[in-house]
Amino acid sequence: MWGCGLSGLCLLRCSLLFLAVQRAPSAKRDLRPCDETDYHYEYTECDSTGSRWRVAIPIKPGSCADLPPPIQGTDCSFSCAAGEFLEMSTQQCTPCAAGSYSLGSGLRFDQWDSIPTGFTSLASYLDPGPQGEDSQACNSSSWTAQGIYLESSRDDCTVSLVYAVRLEKQGSVSFTYQYPDNNIFFEFYVQNEQCQEMAQADDQKWIKVTSSGDWETHTVNLKSGTNILYWRTTGILVGGKIVKPVLLRTIQIEGVAYTSECFPCRPGWFSPSPGSSSCQPCPRNTFPQKGASSCTPCPDNQYSHEGWAECKVRPPCSEKDYFQIHSACDSEGKTQVVYRWVEPKICVDHVIGAVELPPTGEREPCPPCNPGYYNTNDSTCFPCPPGTHSDGTSACAECPAGTEPVLGYEYKWWNALPSNMKTSCFNVGNSKCDDMNGWEVAGDHIRSGAGGSDNDYLILNLHIPGFKVPTSLSGMTGSEFGQITFVFETICSADCELYFMMDVNRKSTTVVESWEGSKDKKSYTHIMTRNASVSYTWAFQRTNQALDVRHYVGDMVKLYSISVTNVLDGVASACRACALVSQSSQRAGSSCVPCPAGFYIDRDTNRCQECPPNTHLAGRHTYGQDACVPCGPGSRSNKEHSHCYSDCSFSHTEKNRTLTFDLAALSAVASLTNGPSFTSKGTKYLHLFNISLCSREGKMAAVCSDNVTDLAGKDAQGDAAQFVNSVQRSFICQSTIIPADGRGFRSALSSQSISLVDTFLGATVESVVDGVNAKPGLFPESPRDVPDINFFYRSTQATASCDQGRSSVIIVRCNPEKSERGELTLPSSCPAGTCDGCTFHFLWESLSACPRCTRSDYHQIEGACKGGVQETLYMWNEPKLCGRGAALPARTSSPCEAVALWLKVGLGGGAFVAVLLTSLTCYFWKKNKRLEYKYSRLVMSANKECELPAADSCALAEGEEPEDDVVYAQKPSLLGKLRAIANKQEEGESSESVQLKSSHSERWVWG
């Protein structure tokens, strides 16, 4: 018998049922014989030898008898060619009928009125909260059918479109897609029946970004067996910006065994002949039926667009159905406003309520020619010949001696579209605007056209063959080859968006900048850092919703002027002074010569002169010494005077003290990651900053890149990718990181990489430099008496949200508790590093930010003299607020004496004073004794005679010396009083009083 798989058991049972029916009792023989409408054919599963059987399966078992017996089927690898199907009754390939198509051994999905059977849309969020509170956040996210394409989710959920197919032989899957926004990660991968991911190269897994409006095709080979296909998108809605969805227009799979039927053409499409492998849309103003082989014209009062399945009644004309343009200048130099119907015209203007086309405006003088062009007799503008110039109003004139023409393009008058510009209209879902002009000239500006529907892309393209730096600017060695500046305005009532894109060397178009909603009149400048052929494109879309209507025809963009500098083979609007050969040279003359790098052109002599030290050529001219701009504080210029930089050293003088800083330890690139942060759907993301503070050579070392974009766009890395997707070296750059655990990716994903600053302004302790404010209040105040050093940076590239470009300040602060490399932090009030989106602030605390040590940062301590030796120690002043520089001196020893000289002098002086005091004490003691003796004799003499001497004086006894002092009774000596008091305390009332009589008064004297 034949082998069959599990799914073929039902077929085997059907064949056994057929045998049972043949042997049934006679009651069953009354059933009618089966005809072709009572059954259909199917193949059994292939066995190990690649064989299978064809069996008849009854539609209603038991309703008829005599089913065809099983027969040997075709080989399992058998398939029909495109445009044919396998007729199961004959097992022969048969061409499809007109109005239908077949891929032979393939499947094609290109009708998206709903998600086809077999496809599944799965939304997932792989970072739920601890209680699973975020598990319901993505339930409403899914792929959506939009009729002619399938649209991915617009939020930041991870949404997968899944389709399982079994291939009998090796095949492939290819799909046509549109992927305009790299804020979505778009990947395609394949799993086997065990849900194991097949090995794929990164450029097969990660899909390449497309330019706005372009469709690309991606093809991946498949193995035989079961293949589970995944189209997975993950939006990154950082900052709340809505992402552009991924669109799938067709999906085609090759490698299925066979197809047993042809597919009818979808409504609006037809196939005119048998054996078709595809269908084509019906032309405008026709309609078909499903499975049609031709299209039928619409009635006169109805219309249809290409691919429509039915006709609609033509509406009355309104103001939205016409637009105005300026006619070309006539032979008299006149122009006028002309109104035209939007083509194809679908409205009727001869019914009640319809508006008519306004009359043509009055004839007016044509605007002048654009600079670099001259006007001919027939009012046509032509470019000036090489070596000449014109402002657009006068004839072309040659440049004077010692000057050269300023080449470029400057378009500010729009009477006719320049020859190097073109305009078009594109719609992702249809081709009804392909023949329309996307933009229309309007005198002093060019503006977006009407388009066919609101979601059309209205495209304006400008081609530049290349750039050439003029001779007079040869002294500038920067990376700028040229720049484009345009002034524009958007007027919108819906979610319009203007894209500015460029295509370098015709590789791929990438979005440089975009603006959403209404914008007042403003200017934007983009700098070209590579000499290459480039096409600039402006694309305007009134709404990105899949609406085939014209509700916002009044929404528009106006371009007032476009200026491109240093254009190869451009036209000249003026002349610029250039350097001449020295008079002493044999080549002396009036021809221009290039100046060496870092030289300017002297105004008086028109000779090359080197810029002064620490100045750089910052402007876009080299004429005059004022072209050499002084470097900012704390910076110096490189040898070529092309830019200023910090060499990682800094000095500051305050309080009659000079502080010197050595920041060499901070010269290597440092990284800082903030977060994590979460989007509205809970997606976790981080901001990674790479910072290059300073360098001995002045090189910018910080680099950020998009790892997904790099993998998906390897072929463009050398051209446009290095302008947009991969960031060039800068001082500070930023990337958005999706952690590997945030969405189930195998590795962390980096996207939205941008250069924040590329120009060094200076380093100072001041808080403002060139209009950039350090805002030190964003960080805690330093508790140490060491000034912070503020490093100021700026970007020369303006953005949609930062007209003056981004800027950044790094506050370098001394912190002895940190290492030499230190630690970077962001403001607590602005965790993303910026409070306004344009100025970024960082604090870098480090030991290296402390000043270099000097002799004033330590003191000495002398020890005691021990054994004739004295040691001297050196200690840092506390707290220590310095690093490197002068080292702490080593301990020293010196001989000393046991008793110091000052001690000897002190002891000698003390001994002299002691002897002197002793001598005086003895002198006064002796004298007091003599006085007591005299007094006692006087008392004794008075007692014997019972009569006291006169109170006036005491007479001298015989033999007494006259030089003794007289003692008056009324004033006893201090010593006598003390002795009297002492005797009174010891003897009580033992002392006697003697009354001395006098003729004058009475006195008491204590004995």
Side-chain angles (χ1 to χ4, degrees), residues 13 21 511 594 671:
R13 290 170 180 170
V21 170
V511 177
S671 296

Side-chain angles (χ1 to χ4, degrees), residues 513-776:
E513 193 59 79
S514 62
W515 297 266
E516 293 181 349
S518 295
K519 299 293 181 184
D520 294 334
K521 192 175 182 179
K522 63 188 303 182
S523 174
Y524 177 79
T525 299
H526 179 75
I527 298 174
M528 287 296 300
T529 57
R530 182 182 177 188
N531 189 5
S533 172
V534 60
S535 291
Y536 296 109
T537 300
W538 293 264
F540 180 70
Q541 188 181 36
R542 293 184 172 91
T543 178
N544 63 2
Q545 303 296 325
L547 302 175
D548 192 13
V549 294
R550 298 179 67 248
H551 292 160
Y552 309 112
V553 70
D555 295 1
M556 68 179 68
V557 57
K558 296 180 179 180
L559 271 178
Y560 292 95
S561 65
I562 300 175
S563 175
V564 188
T565 63
N566 302 343
V567 176
L568 182 67
D569 299 331
V571 296
S573 58
C575 298
R576 180 191 290 117
C578 61
L580 301 178
V581 180
S582 174
Q583 294 291 342
S584 60
S585 173
Q586 297 180 356
R587 299 171 49 203
S590 61
S591 60
C592 296
V593 294
C595 285
F599 282 64
Y600 69 94
I601 303 172
D602 187 84
R603 294 181 185 273
D604 298 328
T605 63
N606 271 34
R607 311 297 178 196
C608 298
Q609 298 289 338
E610 185 176 5
C611 283
N614 293 329
T615 63
H616 68 295
L617 294 169
R620 292 179 173 84
H621 71 95
T622 59
Y623 191 63
Q625 187 172 348
D626 58 347
C628 303
V629 181
C631 293
S635 64
R636 57 188 302 178
S637 65
N638 60 345
K639 295 180 180 179
E640 296 79 14
H641 297 276
S642 61
H643 64 272
C644 299
Y645 68 96
S646 169
D647 61 356
C648 301
S649 63
F650 182 78
S651 62
H652 173 65
T653 301
E654 65 176 9
K655 300 178 181 178
N656 296 325
R657 181 190 178 193
T658 299
L659 303 178
T660 303
F661 299 83
D662 183 5
L663 306 176
L666 307 182
S667 61
V669 176
S671 296
L672 170 64
T673 303
N674 77 321
S677 301
F678 298 87
T679 64
S680 59
K681 293 289 187 179
T683 301
K684 181 169 67 175
Y685 67 93
L686 311 169
H687 279 150
L688 171 67
F689 298 93
N690 286 332
I691 299 175
S692 175
L693 181 73
C694 58
S695 171
R696 296 293 185 188
E697 298 81 16
K699 296 180 179 179
M700 298 179 291
V703 177
C704 299
S705 61
D706 296 349
N707 59 0
V708 175
T709 306
D710 289 344
L711 295 173
K714 290 183 178 179
D715 59 335
Q717 285 184 356
D719 300 295
Q722 61 177 293
F723 290 96
V724 180
N725 300 331
S726 173
V727 175
Q728 299 296 305
R729 293 185 180 274
S730 62
F731 286 109
I732 305 175
C733 61
Q734 173 190 287
S735 295
T736 301
I737 306 297
I738 307 298
D741 59 348
R743 288 288 178 174
F745 297 121
R746 291 176 296 180
S747 60
L749 302 181
S750 173
S751 69
Q752 302 178 4
S753 297
I754 55 174
S755 171
L756 297 181
V757 290
D758 55 15
T759 302
F760 179 64
L761 300 180
T764 177
V765 297
E766 303 298 329
S767 58
V768 178
V769 170
D770 197 18
V772 181
N773 195 327
K775 295 185 179 180

Side-chain angles (χ1 to χ4, degrees), residues 43 50-52 72-78 86 91 258:
Y43 282 125
S51 301
R52 57 186 173 184
Q72 186 74 35
T74 59
D75 188 82
C76 288
S77 61
F78 174 83
L86 183 64
Q91 298 194 74
Y258 66 94

Side-chain angles (χ1 to χ4, degrees), residues 463-477:
H463 178 68
I464 302 298
F467 296 88
K468 181 181 179 181
V469 177
T471 304
S472 58
L473 299 183
S474 58
M476 304 179 66
T477 59

Side-chain angles (χ1 to χ4, degrees), residues 163-181:
Y163 183 74
V165 62
R166 180 175 178 82
L167 301 185
E168 298 297 339
K169 58 182 179 180
Q170 290 186 351
S172 64
V173 57
S174 61
F175 52 92
T176 304
Y177 70 95
Q178 191 177 105
Y179 177 23
D181 193 346

Side-chain angles (χ1 to χ4, degrees), residues 960-971:
E960 290 181 343
E961 298 175 358
E963 63 271 11
D964 292 339
D965 297 331
V966 177
V967 179
Y968 293 94
Q970 66 269 23
K971 291 184 180 179

Side-chain angles (χ1 to χ4, degrees), residues 318-382:
S318 66
E319 290 81 359
K320 298 179 180 180
D321 294 308
Y322 64 85
F323 62 95
Q324 73 172 39
I325 63 170
H326 281 68
S327 64
C329 288
D330 56 22
S331 58
E332 299 178 1
K334 301 289 186 178
T335 183
Q336 57 188 156
V337 175
V338 178
Y339 295 90
R340 294 180 179 175
W341 294 112
V342 174
E343 295 294 340
K345 182 183 177 184
I346 62 174
C347 64
V348 289
D349 55 353
H350 54 273
V351 297
I352 298 176
V355 299
E356 296 182 353
L357 203 63
T360 301
E362 296 182 359
R363 298 175 69 232
E364 300 175 351
C366 288
C369 294
N370 282 307
Y373 291 80
Y374 69 97
N375 200 341
T376 61
N377 294 331
D378 60 353
S379 301
T380 303
C381 295
F382 289 95

